[in-house]
Amino acid sequence: MRSVHAVLISLLLCLSACSSLPNRDPLKINVVGVEPLQGEGMEVRFAVRIRVQNPNDNVLTYSGVALDLDINGQPFASGVTDERGSIGRFSDVVVSVPVSVSAFSVIRQTYGISQMKTLNNMPYILRGKLSGGVFNTMRFVDSGTLNLPGPITGSR
């Protein structure tokens, strides 16, 4: 009977500790750029630059970033960085994450694009996390459309 009481008391202490954690608004993430990087073999690499906005009243410290990028509803690229930093209260920072694209993803996307009449308004979803330890890891999702230049037409 004592062990049951001990377990219940431990559970209540854990629940009260979780309820004392501060309420945080979710991070706001925007893709601000994609730049080519040197790849290896059949791999294509890019640096995805994201703006991370901290809409909270406390400084957010992070020690790594992970990203997954889907384009046209298909997995396209993923990447990680062990970059460390902090985002001040009610502040923002731009973080660059190198991502890799497999040859298979490039072929799949090329086929999907060939079925489209234009390269404008290609939907993307960016999922990721800023690692900040056990209680400070923040997950995020950003979505939108990519507007890529299409073929140039016109008279000479």
Side-chain angles (χ1 to χ4, degrees):
M1 192 67 163
R2 284 186 175 195
S3 63
V4 171
H5 284 103
V7 169
L8 287 175
I9 289 172
S10 297
L11 183 60
L12 287 174
L13 288 173
C14 287
L15 288 175
S16 66
C18 289
S19 66
S20 67
L21 291 175
N23 290 333
R24 290 189 293 193
D25 290 324
L27 298 175
K28 294 185 170 116
I29 308 295
N30 292 309
V31 176
V32 295
V34 178
E35 302 166 357
L37 295 174
Q38 181 70 37
E40 294 184 29
M42 294 178 58
E43 173 187 63
V44 178
R45 293 187 43 89
F46 296 97
V48 175
R49 297 183 48 183
I50 58 173
R51 180 169 306 278
V52 183
Q53 295 179 341
N54 179 9
N56 297 291
D57 195 23
N58 53 342
V59 175
L60 174 66
T61 302
Y62 62 94
S63 60
V65 183
L67 295 179
D68 289 311
L69 177 64
D70 295 355
I71 296 179
N72 271 342
Q74 298 291 324
F76 184 69
S78 63
V80 295
T81 182
D82 65 352
E83 180 177 329
R84 296 174 182 270
S86 62
I87 308 166
R89 56 186 290 278
F90 299 105
S91 188
D92 63 37
V93 67
V94 174
V95 179
S96 182
V97 181
V99 298
S100 299
V101 182
S102 71
F104 180 71
S105 290
V106 171
I107 292 169
R108 182 176 52 229
Q109 289 297 331
T110 302
Y111 176 74
I113 290 170
S114 70
Q115 302 301 309
M116 300 171 63
K117 294 182 181 178
T118 179
L119 298 180
N120 287 329
N121 299 318
M122 291 176 50
Y124 75 87
I125 299 175
L126 180 73
R127 293 178 183 85
K129 70 178 180 178
L130 263 68
S131 179
V134 176
F135 294 111
N136 290 323
T137 294
M138 304 280 290
R139 296 188 180 276
F140 58 84
V141 176
D142 178 47
S143 62
T145 56
L146 297 174
N147 290 312
L148 302 175
I152 298 173
T153 59
S155 60
R156 293 182 187 221

